[in-house]
Amino acid sequence: MAGRLAEQKKKGTVGEHFEKLREMAGRVFDLASASDLLSWDMQTYMPPGGADGRAFAMATLASLAHELFVRDDFGETLEAAESEVKDLDPDSDEAGIVARLRRDFDKTRRVPSDWVAVSLRTVGLAFNAWVAARQASDFAAFQPHMEKVLGVKRSYVSFFEPYDSPYDPLLDDYEPGLKLARVREIFGELREVQIPLVQAISERSDAVDDSFLRLPYDEQAQWDFGLDVIRDLGYDFERGRQDKAPHPFSTALNRGDVRITNRVSPNHFGSALFGSMHEAGHAIYSQGIAPALDRIPSLSGSTLEGAHDASLGVQESQSRMLENLVGRSRAFWTAYYPRLQAVFPEQLGDVEVDTFYRAINKVARSLIRVEADEATYNLHLLLRFEIEADLIEGNLAVADLPEAWNSKMEEYLGITPPDDRRGVLQDIHWSIGLFGYFPTYTIGNIISVQLWQKLNAELPDLEAQISRGNFTELVGWLHENVHRHGGKYEPMDLLKRITGEELNAKPYLEYLTGKYSEIYGLS
Ligand code: ZN
């Protein structure tokens, strides 16, 4: 038996059932990947008139993928493949594929297809209502839709009983294995440190001047500079491209085609560059997944996707690492500032590198999450997490949402939104049924620093390498430890494998406090 397995391994096959499973999963993947491409096009080049037809096409592909995935013969093949891989090393790619498909299959089978159809219709209408309500800053117009979306989510949760909290199954869709109780503890630790930190910074807000970042900066030059940087970081343009879109995002159609989008602000240097670096972090992850894991779909929320990663939090750890730990560091700008000055001599010729470093790290208490800096970002998420957990657990009525939002903004950030457009209506997530999604941004921040500590322990020369513009060992380490495994391991298992630790907010808080105390001269 061992001989046969070794023989099959050499040929790259485990057994006929495993091969059949791969092929069946591959067909699901192809549909999901095609739908992802339609979604990318919808957000980049599609003329506005295409919206209705596109929505039908995407819904058809999504439901076909779902149907193929939950078929009885898929389950039978999965079971047969499980017995073929049971003697393999559990860390092997084959065992990982089967385990991941089992998890996603069991979850998907619990969800009746009627629910999927109702859910798609409900969020479709809610999304349209949200777009109009946000524009008009009219929460009351969105409220009945929000109530319906919440109802749909509650019935979804009921498919996964028993649970400690009804929020747990929602969180599990994006961060498998994590529970509400743990996230509450983590956010509690963050709250204790970050609220006073931001408060202390705001009392010294004139310590950092970033006015020179708000001069006119040529759009094409900004775009090209960002492309040079992410090429240096290791984003492979033979297997990717960057296009313009209103919001930066990354789409992995397959390992050979991982696209990113970005936008440029002509009067603000930084948002385009850091947008590119952030999305490149996501894309380099997807480009680095082992070929053995090709054409395996994965479940995110209740949707099958082409992307095959460990979780949203692990994804975000990669993007935040390149954007913040690399891109907003002194070491990085030691290498890149002279080049940037050469591109923008009028704006930056007389600005010292340290002045520039402080400016790109300026902290400001602002209303909008997507514009928030590193120090305030988690507070925006803390508020959203607390509100959505209360909604799902039945401790907050939808009608009371704007008030809850505004009072938490006041409490955590010391500012009150002048209207709902810049308050409770600003994010798309709830309108399209994404509950349990927001905490993953913060989980990503935390994981990024846990990985960074490990990286620096194993590559003591890392900072010096970065200050020479050399990212080979950094990205090589991430490929080997994170990227290549794709969605083979559950996120908390992957973290433990790499760092030997559970999810832990302390390294992140130490990093944040150390960095900003130095910049703002806090004692
Ligand atoms: Zn991201």
Side-chain angles (χ1 to χ4, degrees), residues 278-279 282 315-316 319-320 441:
H278 181 102
E279 298 311 327
H282 287 301
Q315 268 287 0
E316 200 67 7
S319 55
R320 289 265 150 190
Y441 294 113

Side-chain angles (χ1 to χ4, degrees), residues 140-156:
F142 179 58
Q143 186 184 322
H145 289 278
M146 179 78 181
E147 280 161 355
K148 283 189 187 126
V149 172
L150 208 53
V152 163
K153 293 320 269 190
R154 287 218 180 86
S155 60
Y156 177 76

Side-chain angles (χ1 to χ4, degrees), residues 58 135-136 145 214-215 311 334 364 404 413 422 460-461 478:
M58 286 172 61
Q135 204 142 39
H145 289 278
R214 292 169 193 283
L215 299 170
S311 72
T334 302
L413 285 151
R422 283 170 283 184
D461 192 32
L478 292 171

